[in-house]
């Protein structure tokens, strides 16, 4: 027995493991050892994972190597037969690790960790086992994950629905932190705090410039302890600061809200399913019933609800269903999973409301919310409006591996009533699918139709700023109200479906009229086709007119020629590209007679990117009553804008009016910077408090400079501190954040000079697929720490710094389409700069086999 137990221990711990086990057997005090993370995780995966037969140890080992590459800058991982090879970024090989099968996977993962630990290079994160095992877990499925750190805290808070704090949700608004919501019945509400109060300080620490998460952490604490909150509130006498002493307690954070819609119809929104969802749902239904808001029906809004507790989602369905299967779980062998409820039925407790129900769902309605929506649909209690749901039909359980690490593992799939499976992204279909046609001010059309092969045509709502002045965000709820009003008091699903069909036809006519009017206002003939026809014969030209430069407007032109013998109606050109600049634009041409050429023009503002690029853009022609046509591709491009470079000098200044960080900012770019804003971010533990959020100047001329000041309160900084830990953020109107620098500001007034490394990387906009040699140069005024090179997210090289400059040629294996090449450089102050270029990989022309496809001979 003892030898069998020792066999599974890691090689480096077997002697110690024997001591522990024998000591326990002989009654001697046992040495407490932390559980081995690899064995704890792998034993659960081996015995409990839903798709254990599909687990590939080699894939898990390689995924662990990729995680090390992602988390540690100097690690490079590449696959080899049966495993993975690790290299230091400068090319030095650390070693290869291979795995034979499941039985030696733990030893292989341990060996991978050892290669990094023993490399003799800087290592900030000592928990390599967490990185390695987390990476291995990523190879299972997208829902199985290792939970630790902030991810674990967020998971616990979401699932339990409780935490110890004051019961208020913070949000950032206009550079300040506000109490966005104060939960009724909780400590902050009892103390008199209100939604909309501006948070000034927590226990004397000013929150100006503090991250929302940091301020929230200060407000949380052990139940029974007190926290002093100072807020600023607008009162009838004017704005004033108010102090509140709040006693922390276990907070019940509501995830269900309710209201009364038009025609006195009830509405309930469930954000996610926690252990408290059923309680909140029943409370909401009771209050809506007291307002007589359930007599004509109920709207349950599950849009963007990504799930949570399976038990709570089934209980929520039970609130509306008298009998029937709600959900059944099936494990790896088709049977029961230990510790997991196998079957849940609806129970008739006499309180189920006999009312018509409409559920709103979209493509982000997932997991537990699909149990609720799918159960109500399959048990004939609701009609679903929206889009097909996400399709997450699996169940995860959470296993504690050690105090600070847990494993969220897929252990089963669930089946809805009648054995319906939504596994593998099948999802729950909508009974009444809806979509959106949106115009922008430039005449570009966006169509989100979510059409499904073989399914009903989606009901498209028209969103036109020229007609509406604003987005029609409430049309989902409006449609649900109309369906329930049409159904009257009939709660039978068939009756509500019939009402939905009637409303659909009415709304379709209304939206059709809006669509025709919207196109007419733009000079487009949007007459409909009277009959169906074959795929049209068309020729399409797509181009930009004028200089195409990042951050500026350009005319996008699509010309379509009808080469057929019949007219075609409602012609649009839909664009698709790997470059988000052009993807999903739809250019409306309208009605075309035989031989006619129509044109669609739209002025679009190109994104304010630093990098110029060329992109291959696919063109699809769609027309009314005819199959769509692939019209080939066009190449569109634009020139980038040079990345701005800054020189910064900072010093602490003590004056009678206060303490300031004086900042001299030099614009070393050849173009002016508009709307320059500088601010600090501080950690609560530093004791530093800000007296000003930011300093702003309208512009800084090309190669010009400007002085800025930021006020600081240092009364809570520990005595004797020689430096102040700050993070400086510089933003501009067009470029966004152009600097985020860690700063150790001397308290004696000495100046700090900050200038990130300068990078030169030139590349063509397009080149043939295959090897491409590029050259890069990096310079720094002090000393480089390291340089990293990526190609399409894959790390190519890491180089340790050696002095003030670095230069090298490197080879990139270009793929067809867009290729992003990135260089990041960091200096000895921790200042970073990156440069990115895009190169379009051009495939070699394809030579056909038939004589008609042969290339012409040279003249």
């Amino acid at each position: 027995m003892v030898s069998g137990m020792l066999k599974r221990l890691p090689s480096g711990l077997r002697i110690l493991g024997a001591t522990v086990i024998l000591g326990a057997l002989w009654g001697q005090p046992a040495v407490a050892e932390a559980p081995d993370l690899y064995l704890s995780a792998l034993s659960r995966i081996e015995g409990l994972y839903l798709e254990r037969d599909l687990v590939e140890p080699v894939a898990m080992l390689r995924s662990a190597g990729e995680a090390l590459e992602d988390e540690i800058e100097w690690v490079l991982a590449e696959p080899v037969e049966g495993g993975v090879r690790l290299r230091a970024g400068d090319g030095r090989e650390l070693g290869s690790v291979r795995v034979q099968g499941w039985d030696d996977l733990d030893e292989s993962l341990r060996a991978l960790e050892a290669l990094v630990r023993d490399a003799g290079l800087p290592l900030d994160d000592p928990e390599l086992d967490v990185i390695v095992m987390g990476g291995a877990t990523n190879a299972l499925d997208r829902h199985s994950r290792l939970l630790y750190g902030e991810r674990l805290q967020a998971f616990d808070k979401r699932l339990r629905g409780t935490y110890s704090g004051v019961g208020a949700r913070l949000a950032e608004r206009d550079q300040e932190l506000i109490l966005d919501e104060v939960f009724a019945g909780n400590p902050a509400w009892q103390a008199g705090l209100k939604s909309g109060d501006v948070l000034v300080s927590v226990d004397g620490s000013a929150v100006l410039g503090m991250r929302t998460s940091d301020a929230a952490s200060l407000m949380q604490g052990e139940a029974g302890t007190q926290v002093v909150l100072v807020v600023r509130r607008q009162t009838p006498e004017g704005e004033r600061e108010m102090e509140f002493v709040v006693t922390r307690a276990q907070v019940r954070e509501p995830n269900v809200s309710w209201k009364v819609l038009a025609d006195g119809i009830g509405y309930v929104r469930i954000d996610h399913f926690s252990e408290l969802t059923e309680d909140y749902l029943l409370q909401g239904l009771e209050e809506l019933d007291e307002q007589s808001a359930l007599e004509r029906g109920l709207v349950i809004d599950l849009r963007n609800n990504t799930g949570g507790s399976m038990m709570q989602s089934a209980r929520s369905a039970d609130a509306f269903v008298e009998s029937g299967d709600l959900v059944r779980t099936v494990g790896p062998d088709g049977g029961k999973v230990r510790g997991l409820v196998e079957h849940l039925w609806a129970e008739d407790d006499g309180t189920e409301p006999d009312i018509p129900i409409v559920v709103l769902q979209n493509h982000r309605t997932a997991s537990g919310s699909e149990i609720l929506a799918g159960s109500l649909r399959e048990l004939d209690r609701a009609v679903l409006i929206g889009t097909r749901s996400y399709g997450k039909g699996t169940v995860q359980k959470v296993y504690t591996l050690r105090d600070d690490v847990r494993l969220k593992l897929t252990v089963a799939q669930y089946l809805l009533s009648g054995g319906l499976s939504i596994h593998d992204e099948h999802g729950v279909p909508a009974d009444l699918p809806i979509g959106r046609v949106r115009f922008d001010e430039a005449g570009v059309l966006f169509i989100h139709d979510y059409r499904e092969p073989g399914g009903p045509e989606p009901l498209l709502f028209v969103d036109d700023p020229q007609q509406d002045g604003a987005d029609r965000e409430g049309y989902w709820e409006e449609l649900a109200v109309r369906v329930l009003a049409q159904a009257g008091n009939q709660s039978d699903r068939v009756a509500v479906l019939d009402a939905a069909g009637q409303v659909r036809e009415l709304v379709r006519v209304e939206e059709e009229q809006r669509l025709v009017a919207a196109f007419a206002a733009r000079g487009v003939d949007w007459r409909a086709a009277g009959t169906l026809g074959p795929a049209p014969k068309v020729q399409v030209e797509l181009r930009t007119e004028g200089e195409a430069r990042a951050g500026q407007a350009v005319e996008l032109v699509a010309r379509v020629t009808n080469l057929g013998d019949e007219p075609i109606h409602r012609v649009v050109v839909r664009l698709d590209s790997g470059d988000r600049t052009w993807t999903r634009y739809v250019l409306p041409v309208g009605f075309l007679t035989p031989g006619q050429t129509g044109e669609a023009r739209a002025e679009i503002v190109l994104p304010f990117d630093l990098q110029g690029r060329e992109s291959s853009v696919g063109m699809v022609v769609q027309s009314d009553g005819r199959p769509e046509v692939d019209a080939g591709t066009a190449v569109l491009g634009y020139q980038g804008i040079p990345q701005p470079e800054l020189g910064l000098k900072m010093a602490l200044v003590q004056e009678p009016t206060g303490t300031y960080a004086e900042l001299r900012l030099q614009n070393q770019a050849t173009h002016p910077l508009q709307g320059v804003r500088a601010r600090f971010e501080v950690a609560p533990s530093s004791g530093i408090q800000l007296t000003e959020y930011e300093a702003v100047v309208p512009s800084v001329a090309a190669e010009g400079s400007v002085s800025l000041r930021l006020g600081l309160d240092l009364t809570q900084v520990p005595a004797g501190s020689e430096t102040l830990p700050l993070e400086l953020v510089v933003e501009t109107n067009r470029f966004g954040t152009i600097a985020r620098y860690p700063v150790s500001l001397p308290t004696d007034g000495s100046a700090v000079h900050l200038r990130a490394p300068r990078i030169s990387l030139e590349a063509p906009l397009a080149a043939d697929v295959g090897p491409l040699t590029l050259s890069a140069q990096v310079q720094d005024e002090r000393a480089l720490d390291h340089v990293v090179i990526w190609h399409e997210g894959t790390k190519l090289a890491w180089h340790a710094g050696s002095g003030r400059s670095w230069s090298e040629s490197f080879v990139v294996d270009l793929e067809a389409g867009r290729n992003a090449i990135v260089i990041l450089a960091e200096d000895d102050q921790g200042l970073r700069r990156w440069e990115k270029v895009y190169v379009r990989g051009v495939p070699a022309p394809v030579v056909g086999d038939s004589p008609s496809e042969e290339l012409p001979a040279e003249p």
Side-chain angles (χ1 to χ4, degrees):
M1 172 179 167
V2 174
S3 62
M5 296 174 71
L6 290 178
K7 186 177 181 181
R8 292 299 299 156
L9 288 173
S11 58
L13 298 177
R14 283 176 183 160
I15 297 177
L16 176 61
T19 303
V20 172
I21 294 169
L22 294 174
L25 289 174
W26 293 336
Q28 298 174 2
V31 179
E33 289 294 325
D36 181 271
L37 189 66
Y38 298 118
L39 292 181
S40 297
L42 293 176
S43 63
R44 287 168 171 82
I45 296 171
E46 182 178 21
L48 302 168
Y49 184 52
L50 176 63
E51 297 178 332
R52 170 66 180 84
D53 293 341
L54 300 180
V55 172
E56 297 182 1
V58 174
M60 294 183 69
L61 180 62
R62 289 173 176 170
S63 183
E66 292 171 1
L68 287 168
E69 181 180 85
D70 290 341
E71 295 292 331
I72 303 172
E73 284 187 327
W74 51 262
V75 171
L76 280 79
E78 59 185 22
V80 295
E81 184 176 356
V84 62
R85 175 187 294 125
L86 297 188
R87 291 186 293 114
D90 55 9
R92 178 165 57 93
E93 184 169 335
L94 302 179
S96 298
V97 179
R98 291 173 171 81
V99 61
Q100 299 298 321
W102 185 263
D103 289 341
D104 67 331
L105 179 56
D106 64 318
E107 294 292 346
S108 298
L109 294 175
R110 213 178 314 278
L112 197 66
E113 175 188 340
L115 290 181
V116 175
R117 192 177 300 281
D118 299 339
L121 289 168
L123 195 60
D124 295 330
D125 190 342
E127 293 191 307
L128 288 177
D129 56 346
V130 175
I131 296 175
V132 171
M133 192 63 237
T137 307
N138 292 342
L140 299 179
D141 67 271
R142 64 183 181 278
H143 306 299
S144 295
R145 289 291 182 267
L146 213 63
L147 303 176
Y148 55 93
E150 292 183 358
R151 177 185 287 182
L152 178 58
Q153 296 173 16
F155 177 84
D156 280 344
K157 180 178 176 182
R158 173 183 169 89
L159 184 61
R160 293 174 183 168
T162 64
Y163 62 93
S164 181
V166 303
R169 181 181 293 127
L170 290 177
E172 186 175 349
R173 185 178 301 169
D174 297 330
Q175 305 173 358
E176 295 179 314
L177 297 182
I178 67 164
L179 303 187
D180 189 50
E181 186 174 0
V182 177
F183 306 132
N186 284 291
W189 181 84
Q190 294 171 344
L193 289 155
K194 298 180 180 180
S195 298
D197 285 345
V198 178
L199 186 62
V200 177
S201 67
V202 180
D203 276 343
S205 294
V207 299
L208 188 65
M210 196 177 290
R211 293 184 178 93
T212 305
S213 58
D214 288 337
S217 295
L218 291 178
M219 294 165 62
Q220 296 176 16
E222 185 177 348
T225 60
Q226 291 186 331
V227 60
V228 179
L229 303 182
V230 175
V231 300
R232 193 169 66 251
R233 179 182 295 175
Q234 189 68 41
T235 69
E237 295 77 27
E239 193 174 67
R240 55 185 287 236
E241 285 194 357
M242 307 172 69
E243 180 177 291
F244 295 85
V245 179
V246 185
T247 301
R248 299 182 179 100
Q250 282 298 115
V251 172
R252 291 165 56 99
E253 184 171 345
N255 57 348
V256 182
S257 57
W258 50 88
K259 63 183 179 181
V260 181
L261 299 177
D263 292 343
I265 289 173
Y267 170 94
V268 169
R269 176 173 180 80
I270 305 176
D271 293 324
H272 64 275
F273 293 93
S274 72
E275 295 172 359
L276 302 174
T277 300
E278 181 189 21
D279 294 341
Y280 285 124
L281 176 61
L282 295 178
Q283 178 186 346
L285 293 177
E286 182 178 349
E287 292 189 11
L288 289 173
D289 189 39
E290 291 173 354
Q291 301 176 63
S292 300
L294 296 182
E295 297 177 358
R296 302 194 64 187
L298 176 68
V299 178
I300 303 175
D301 194 344
L302 299 178
R303 289 175 293 174
N304 302 319
N305 180 327
T306 56
S309 168
M310 180 189 73
M311 183 71 74
Q312 286 288 310
S313 60
R315 286 177 175 171
S316 298
D318 191 17
F320 304 99
V321 178
E322 296 177 356
S323 63
D325 292 347
L326 294 175
V327 66
R328 181 163 61 91
T329 60
V330 179
D333 56 356
K336 177 178 172 57
V337 175
R338 182 180 178 182
L340 188 66
V341 174
E342 182 180 14
H343 209 157
L344 290 170
W345 294 270
E347 296 181 0
D348 183 5
D349 61 7
T351 63
E352 295 84 358
D354 185 22
I355 56 175
I357 300 173
V358 163
V359 174
L360 300 179
Q361 66 174 37
N362 64 5
H363 61 289
R364 296 194 73 244
T365 298
S367 191
S369 56
E370 292 177 289
I371 292 177
L372 175 54
S375 297
L376 296 183
R377 183 181 190 271
E378 295 302 308
L379 295 174
D380 295 328
R381 281 301 291 120
V383 167
L384 276 50
I385 294 179
T387 69
R388 181 178 287 270
S389 65
Y390 181 81
K392 180 185 177 292
T394 55
V395 183
Q396 287 73 42
K397 280 183 66 66
V398 178
Y399 302 94
T400 298
L401 304 182
R402 64 189 193 202
D403 290 344
D404 57 344
V405 183
R406 294 182 209 158
L407 173 65
K408 181 163 70 83
L409 187 66
T410 298
V411 297
Q413 68 167 310
Y414 63 76
L415 305 177
L416 301 182
S417 180
L420 176 65
S421 171
I422 62 168
H423 191 34
D424 293 334
E425 303 183 19
H426 294 307
V428 181
D431 298 303
L432 177 52
I434 61 176
R436 182 185 185 197
V437 178
R438 180 171 65 88
F439 293 86
D440 71 1
E441 297 290 349
V444 180
L445 185 65
F446 298 84
I447 302 177
H448 308 274
D449 55 11
Y450 304 106
R451 61 180 65 236
E452 299 182 20
E457 283 289 317
L459 177 59
L460 298 180
F461 280 78
V462 180
D463 201 353
D464 179 15
Q466 291 188 13
Q467 296 186 66
D468 308 314
D471 290 348
R472 299 172 66 193
E473 291 298 337
Y475 68 78
W476 293 67
E477 295 175 16
E478 295 168 6
L479 181 62
V481 167
R482 292 181 66 170
V483 169
L484 291 172
Q486 184 70 28
N489 294 324
Q490 302 178 86
S491 60
D492 180 73
R493 173 176 152 83
V494 174
V496 182
L497 274 175
D498 182 63
Q502 297 177 48
V503 170
R504 181 190 187 283
E505 291 309 307
L506 292 172
V507 174
R508 186 187 65 77
V509 173
E510 296 168 4
E511 296 302 314
E512 172 74 9
Q513 293 173 348
R514 291 174 54 82
L515 192 62
V516 171
F519 279 117
R522 293 166 172 81
V524 178
D525 184 345
W526 201 245
R527 73 181 76 176
T531 59
L532 301 178
K537 297 179 181 180
V538 292
Q539 180 178 336
V540 181
E541 176 192 356
L542 181 68
R543 68 178 190 278
T544 55
E545 286 190 355
E547 184 182 34
R549 184 177 292 276
Q552 298 182 3
V554 66
E555 194 87 18
L556 183 61
V557 182
R559 290 172 56 86
V560 180
T561 302
N562 180 5
L563 302 178
D565 299 327
E566 298 179 352
I568 47 179
H569 306 72
R570 298 190 171 183
V571 176
V572 299
V573 180
R574 185 193 290 261
L575 308 186
D576 186 25
S577 173
D579 182 350
R580 58 182 173 82
T581 306
W582 316 106
T583 296
R584 301 185 73 175
Y585 282 165
V586 179
L587 302 174
V589 177
F591 177 71
L592 291 177
T593 59
Q596 183 182 2
T597 297
E599 189 175 84
R601 288 177 171 266
E603 185 179 77
I604 66 172
V605 177
L606 295 169
F608 209 86
D609 283 350
L610 305 174
Q611 301 79 33
R613 67 187 74 179
E614 281 186 358
S615 301
S616 179
V617 182
M619 303 174 292
V620 174
V621 174
Q622 296 177 327
S623 55
D624 192 24
R626 295 170 179 264
E628 66 181 27
V629 175
D630 183 351
T633 60
V635 175
L636 300 179
Y638 55 87
Q639 297 178 0
I641 296 176
Q643 184 174 357
E645 295 185 12
L646 298 178
L648 297 162
K649 179 181 178 182
M650 189 188 313
L652 195 65
V653 177
Q654 301 278 359
E655 294 186 354
T657 56
T659 302
Y660 302 91
E662 194 164 72
L663 178 66
R664 184 70 176 175
L665 184 151
Q666 183 179 13
N667 175 17
Q668 296 173 331
T670 57
H671 50 83
L673 298 177
Q674 305 295 331
V676 178
R677 306 177 300 279
R679 59 185 172 85
F680 287 130
E681 289 185 356
V682 296
S685 59
S686 69
I688 303 169
Q689 300 182 66
L690 307 183
T691 59
E692 298 171 85
Y693 179 78
E694 65 181 6
V696 181
V697 292
S699 65
V700 182
E703 301 180 347
S705 60
V706 65
S707 293
L708 303 169
R709 274 189 165 193
L710 290 163
L712 302 174
D713 180 349
L714 306 182
T715 55
Q716 296 188 34
V717 173
S721 298
E722 296 181 357
T723 60
L724 304 176
L726 298 162
E727 185 165 38
L728 175 67
V729 181
V730 181
E731 300 171 331
T732 70
N733 285 350
R734 288 188 167 181
F735 288 99
T737 300
I738 60 174
R740 180 178 287 274
Y741 296 157
V743 182
S744 294
L745 185 62
T747 55
D748 63 3
S750 303
V752 174
H753 296 267
L754 304 171
R755 181 173 179 179
R758 297 181 300 281
I759 300 174
S760 175
L761 173 62
E762 295 185 0
L765 292 179
D768 293 338
V769 166
L772 174 66
T773 300
L774 298 174
S775 297
Q777 297 83 38
V778 182
Q779 291 183 325
D780 189 72
E781 292 185 342
R782 290 170 53 99
L784 291 170
D785 185 79
H786 63 267
V787 177
V788 193
I789 305 173
W790 284 275
H791 171 225
E792 281 298 298
T794 298
K795 193 185 303 181
L796 296 183
W798 176 92
H799 300 274
S802 56
R804 297 182 178 182
S805 63
W806 171 90
S807 62
E808 185 172 292
S809 295
F810 58 96
V811 177
V812 174
D813 192 11
L814 284 189
E815 303 170 354
R818 191 195 73 167
N819 291 258
I821 297 108
V822 178
I823 291 186
L824 180 143
E826 181 173 328
D827 67 11
D828 61 347
Q829 292 178 292
L831 307 185
R832 290 186 162 201
R833 185 179 178 86
W834 59 268
E835 185 74 30
K836 178 190 292 184
V837 296
Y838 291 102
V839 181
R840 181 172 63 90
V842 182
V846 177
V847 180
D849 295 328
S850 65
S852 61
E853 296 175 337
E854 291 180 354
L855 294 177
E858 292 290 334

